[in-house]
Amino acid sequence: MATVGNGRTVRDLRRENRSAVLQRLYFDGPLSRFSLGPATGLSSGSISNVVAELVAEGLVEEAGSVESAGGRPRTLLRVRPGSACMIGVDVGETRVRVELFDLALTELARVEKPLTVHGLRRVDRYDVGVVVGLVRDGIAEVVHRAGVDPGDLLGVGVGVPGIVAGSVEEGAVVHGQTIGWDGVPLERLLRESAALPASVPYFIDNGAKTLGQAEMWFGAGRGARSAVVVLFGSGVGACVVTDDLRSGRAVEWGHLTVRVRGRRCRCGALGCLEAYAGAEALLERWAEAGGHPPAGTDEEAALTAMLTAAYPDPGTGTGGEAVAGTGSEGAARGPDATALAVLEETAEYLGAGFSDLINLFQPERILVGGWAGLQLGTRFLDSVRTHAMSYALTHPAGRVTIDLGTLGPDAVTVGAAILPLTDFFAQGGRRGRPDTEEPAPAWQASLRERAAP
């Protein structure tokens, strides 16, 4: 195939042009053909050719017009929301959530499956067969509810706790030490289990990274050149986004050692940040200090009770709704000193952890998401921010802002759905991989020649 320089082929150039137009219309549309030129750096001829292809394929549609300076009105274009759909899955630590989205990330169907304990150990709730079955059933259910053809899916994105590695034979393999997963070939298991066409790809990544992707594309991270997005749930994790890592990278921030010979973490090590700051650890520490977490409730309800005890609000819980056993009586008693002390100590641990992120990565923004992070809210975050500024170096601390994410507790699922969408854009809006093998770049051939005996 003919090359156009730097080892790139004409096919590469077409794909890149299609990708540039699709992404600009997706993020900034509707736009006219005239506006697409400077927005993408492409010539008017290239824009006309690419737009004609995308319209003919049903990916782009007209969306009204806008007046021009002295000429005919310019037709506006946008990506057609119904032209494709994708699935996002959040394998959380208390439930599995499966959502089906159209191309505009409008939710078409949703299913939530709680992870219940089936054995004596905490990790028994994450039995691989059980989790795979819940994901499989959830995918089938949302596809059926929305009435979509499974063959029209761009793919299935899955956010998981733990480190995700790749294998040619197995696909994505998950190392989730805190949930008892040691090299679980999740992609292969899902392919063997789910009744989807073989052409539908799976994209599996760390849940903190999918949260980070969502916040950077559509939430509080939009426009930032560098950010750290923190996922705060039963445990804690983070995604680092910099100029060199535009897609973001998950880091096991929760397993940073904050206290030598400290509390034992769920991973088995001593003194991890997660052993003090995760929601599960928070509730354990409250009980160990003499507090009374409500029995027979899930972590989210128990954390709500802890916050209500520490920060009583007349007649309401932390979310503004009446909570049994609280209200004027709780307010009259004043804050629960034990719950408040545990939360204040946790704010300092988190602040110290944030200072490490500030010193190491010097981000413009740190964003806090996840169900627990959002539930703790601005009142708790003010204290975390104060401690972070006191522990961090002055210069990077003066350049960073620390805020809550804006996409809500479902952001991991949205970010998971973005994984197949990102690949779709990278392929220039083509489904699947090219059937023909691309020639190797010129630099590879040159290096092979130099290395030849």
Side-chain angles (χ1 to χ4, degrees), residues 160-167 171-186 204 206 252 255:
V160 296
I163 298 169
V164 180
S167 161
V173 176
V174 182
H175 302 268
Q177 198 161 316
T178 60
I179 62 172
W181 286 17
D182 182 14
V184 172
L186 185 60
I204 299 172
N206 178 273
E252 292 294 334
H255 302 288

Side-chain angles (χ1 to χ4, degrees), residues 215-227 241 243 246 364-365 367:
E215 288 288 353
M216 295 302 291
W217 275 31
F218 304 113
R222 194 163 188 202
R225 295 178 59 190
S226 62
V241 182
D243 282 340
R246 289 310 303 168
E364 294 176 32
R365 303 174 195 173
L367 305 173

Side-chain angles (χ1 to χ4, degrees), residues 93-95 97 112 233-234 279-280 283 294 297-307 318 370-372 375 409-410:
E93 295 188 313
T94 59
R95 62 170 60 86
R97 179 183 291 119
E112 289 194 3
S234 297
E280 184 176 306
L283 296 169
T297 61
D298 61 20
E299 282 183 3
E300 295 186 32
L303 184 60
T304 298
M306 183 180 187
L307 290 168
T318 54
W371 66 266
Q375 193 175 135
D410 299 345

Side-chain angles (χ1 to χ4, degrees), residues 197-336:
S199 60
V200 177
Y202 286 83
F203 303 87
I204 299 172
D205 217 324
N206 178 273
K209 182 176 175 180
T210 69
L211 170 68
Q213 184 96 58
E215 288 288 353
M216 295 302 291
W217 275 31
F218 304 113
R222 194 163 188 202
R225 295 178 59 190
S226 62
V228 178
V229 183
V230 173
L231 174 60
F232 188 5
S234 297
V236 293
C239 172
V240 177
V241 182
T242 66
D243 282 340
D244 297 328
L245 295 168
R246 289 310 303 168
S247 62
R249 178 174 181 174
V251 292
E252 292 294 334
W253 175 62
H255 302 288
L256 184 80
T257 302
V258 295
R259 188 165 182 173
V260 176
R261 295 186 294 276
R263 286 173 53 86
R264 187 166 298 280
C265 179
R266 301 184 304 169
C267 73
L270 298 176
C272 295
L273 176 62
E274 188 168 296
Y276 295 90
E280 184 176 306
L282 255 176
L283 296 169
E284 288 176 354
R285 289 169 54 223
W286 185 27
E288 291 166 5
H292 302 285
T297 61
D298 61 20
E299 282 183 3
E300 295 186 32
L303 184 60
T304 298
M306 183 180 187
L307 290 168
T308 303
Y311 309 117
D313 210 6
T316 65
T318 54
E321 298 177 356
V323 176
T326 64
S328 58
E329 180 184 350
R333 288 197 303 265
D336 180 317

